[in-house]
Amino acid sequence: MIRSYIYLVLAIVFEIIATTFLKKSEQFTRIIPSVITVVGYIATFYLLSLTLRQVPIGIAYAIWSGVGIVFITIIGMVAFKQVPDMPAIIGIVLIVLGVIVINLFSKMGSH
């Protein structure tokens, strides 16, 4: 089971890299960022598929998307000067709380 969560962490890292370079690709007009984006998403989905061998899809996706949203928001703030407004911050906090609730209280993850 630990291996599956390592795959999930790596999937999240590649997704964050791919999404960051998607912005830098300027609608796929810049070759290097575009290649990094495509390779990153391929790695992301491959690693996510390995995760799903043992981790229920709902749990894996909640963690993957929740962590990704938080880190991409931080990267957007730092690298692209995209500061979220209060509704966006509240929404992100609710997403994080949802992921925590799923992981702490759901029996779904005990498979």
Side-chain angles (χ1 to χ4, degrees):
M1 189 66 123
I2 297 294
R3 183 178 289 167
S4 292
Y5 281 99
I6 292 170
Y7 291 145
L8 181 57
V9 168
L10 291 172
I12 292 166
V13 168
F14 277 102
E15 189 263 338
I16 291 166
I17 292 168
T19 301
T20 301
F21 278 88
L22 180 61
K23 169 75 172 156
K24 291 179 175 267
S25 77
E26 297 179 13
Q27 296 76 48
F28 291 101
T29 59
R30 299 181 58 221
I31 189 71
I32 300 298
S34 297
V35 169
I36 293 170
T37 297
V38 171
V39 170
Y41 280 127
I42 289 169
T44 294
F45 287 112
Y46 175 71
L47 290 162
L48 187 59
S49 75
L50 295 178
T51 301
L52 298 179
R53 289 178 179 167
Q54 292 188 325
V55 179
I57 193 168
I59 300 293
Y61 197 75
I63 295 168
W64 179 64
S65 60
V67 173
I69 287 168
V70 170
F71 277 94
I72 287 299
T73 301
I74 293 167
I75 290 168
M77 290 169 62
V78 173
F80 305 117
K81 309 295 185 246
Q82 299 172 341
V83 180
D85 58 9
M86 190 52 68
I89 292 169
I90 292 169
I92 291 167
V93 168
L94 290 172
I95 290 167
V96 170
L97 290 174
V99 170
I100 291 169
V101 166
I102 288 170
N103 282 284
L104 291 179
F105 301 109
S106 174
K107 290 181 176 52
M108 190 173 151
S110 61
H111 290 109

